[in-house]
Short mmCIF file of all heavy atoms in Angstrom, two decimals:
data_model
loop_
_atom_site.label_atom_id
_atom_site.label_comp_id
_atom_site.label_asym_id
_atom_site.label_seq_id
_atom_site.Cartn_x
_atom_site.Cartn_y
_atom_site.Cartn_z
N VAL Z 189 0.85 -11.93 4.04
CA VAL Z 189 0.49 -12.54 2.78
C VAL Z 189 1.57 -12.46 1.72
O VAL Z 189 1.50 -13.09 0.66
CB VAL Z 189 -0.82 -11.94 2.23
CG1 VAL Z 189 -2.01 -12.20 3.14
CG2 VAL Z 189 -0.69 -10.44 1.99
N GLN Z 190 2.57 -11.62 1.93
CA GLN Z 190 3.64 -11.47 0.90
C GLN Z 190 4.93 -11.00 1.62
O GLN Z 190 4.88 -10.18 2.53
CB GLN Z 190 3.24 -10.49 -0.16
CG GLN Z 190 4.28 -10.37 -1.27
CD GLN Z 190 3.94 -9.28 -2.31
OE1 GLN Z 190 3.03 -8.48 -2.05
NE2 GLN Z 190 4.63 -9.25 -3.39
N ARG Z 191 6.03 -11.53 1.14
CA ARG Z 191 7.33 -11.10 1.57
C ARG Z 191 8.21 -11.00 0.33
O ARG Z 191 8.24 -11.91 -0.46
CB ARG Z 191 7.94 -12.08 2.58
CG ARG Z 191 9.30 -11.65 3.14
CD ARG Z 191 9.84 -12.73 4.05
NE ARG Z 191 11.11 -12.33 4.68
CZ ARG Z 191 12.28 -12.39 4.08
NH1 ARG Z 191 12.38 -12.85 2.82
NH2 ARG Z 191 13.38 -12.00 4.72
N ALA Z 192 8.94 -9.90 0.16
CA ALA Z 192 9.78 -9.71 -1.02
C ALA Z 192 10.95 -8.81 -0.69
O ALA Z 192 10.88 -8.01 0.27
CB ALA Z 192 8.96 -9.12 -2.16
N ASP Z 193 12.03 -8.91 -1.47
CA ASP Z 193 13.15 -8.06 -1.26
C ASP Z 193 13.81 -7.77 -2.59
O ASP Z 193 13.46 -8.35 -3.65
CB ASP Z 193 14.16 -8.70 -0.28
CG ASP Z 193 14.72 -10.00 -0.83
OD1 ASP Z 193 15.44 -9.98 -1.86
OD2 ASP Z 193 14.43 -11.06 -0.24
N PRO Z 194 14.79 -6.83 -2.63
CA PRO Z 194 15.37 -6.42 -3.90
C PRO Z 194 16.12 -7.50 -4.69
O PRO Z 194 16.46 -7.25 -5.84
CB PRO Z 194 16.28 -5.25 -3.51
CG PRO Z 194 15.67 -4.69 -2.28
CD PRO Z 194 15.17 -5.90 -1.53
N SER Z 195 16.37 -8.65 -4.08
CA SER Z 195 17.01 -9.71 -4.85
C SER Z 195 16.14 -10.16 -5.99
O SER Z 195 16.64 -10.80 -6.95
CB SER Z 195 17.35 -10.91 -3.94
OG SER Z 195 16.17 -11.53 -3.46
N ARG Z 196 14.85 -9.83 -5.95
CA ARG Z 196 13.93 -10.20 -7.06
C ARG Z 196 13.97 -9.19 -8.18
O ARG Z 196 13.41 -9.46 -9.26
CB ARG Z 196 12.51 -10.30 -6.52
CG ARG Z 196 12.16 -11.66 -5.99
CD ARG Z 196 10.83 -11.77 -5.37
NE ARG Z 196 9.72 -11.24 -6.16
CZ ARG Z 196 8.48 -11.34 -5.75
NH1 ARG Z 196 8.18 -11.94 -4.59
NH2 ARG Z 196 7.49 -10.84 -6.50
N PHE Z 197 14.59 -8.05 -8.00
CA PHE Z 197 14.66 -7.06 -9.06
C PHE Z 197 15.57 -7.58 -10.21
O PHE Z 197 16.64 -8.10 -9.94
CB PHE Z 197 15.18 -5.73 -8.58
CG PHE Z 197 14.27 -5.02 -7.61
CD1 PHE Z 197 14.75 -3.97 -6.82
CD2 PHE Z 197 12.93 -5.35 -7.52
CE1 PHE Z 197 13.88 -3.28 -5.97
CE2 PHE Z 197 12.07 -4.67 -6.66
CZ PHE Z 197 12.55 -3.66 -5.88
N ARG Z 198 15.10 -7.39 -11.41
CA ARG Z 198 15.91 -7.86 -12.58
C ARG Z 198 17.22 -7.08 -12.67
O ARG Z 198 18.26 -7.60 -13.07
CB ARG Z 198 15.12 -7.69 -13.88
CG ARG Z 198 13.98 -8.66 -14.02
CD ARG Z 198 13.49 -8.75 -15.45
NE ARG Z 198 13.21 -7.45 -16.02
CZ ARG Z 198 13.88 -6.87 -16.99
NH1 ARG Z 198 14.96 -7.46 -17.50
NH2 ARG Z 198 13.54 -5.68 -17.46
N LEU Z 199 17.15 -5.77 -12.39
CA LEU Z 199 18.30 -4.93 -12.42
C LEU Z 199 18.34 -4.10 -11.11
O LEU Z 199 17.27 -3.80 -10.57
CB LEU Z 199 18.33 -3.98 -13.61
CG LEU Z 199 18.45 -4.60 -15.01
CD1 LEU Z 199 18.31 -3.51 -16.07
CD2 LEU Z 199 19.75 -5.33 -15.17
N PRO Z 200 19.49 -3.78 -10.62
CA PRO Z 200 19.56 -2.94 -9.43
C PRO Z 200 18.98 -1.55 -9.70
O PRO Z 200 19.01 -1.06 -10.84
CB PRO Z 200 21.06 -2.89 -9.09
CG PRO Z 200 21.76 -3.19 -10.36
CD PRO Z 200 20.88 -4.12 -11.12
N VAL Z 201 18.47 -0.91 -8.68
CA VAL Z 201 17.84 0.39 -8.87
C VAL Z 201 18.80 1.42 -9.42
O VAL Z 201 18.40 2.33 -10.13
CB VAL Z 201 17.18 0.88 -7.55
CG1 VAL Z 201 16.11 -0.11 -7.07
CG2 VAL Z 201 18.21 1.09 -6.46
#
Side-chain angles (χ1 to χ4, degrees):
V189 296
Q190 184 186 11
R191 182 184 184 280
D193 62 66
S195 67
R196 273 176 49 177
F197 291 164
R198 290 197 307 112
L199 294 175
V201 299

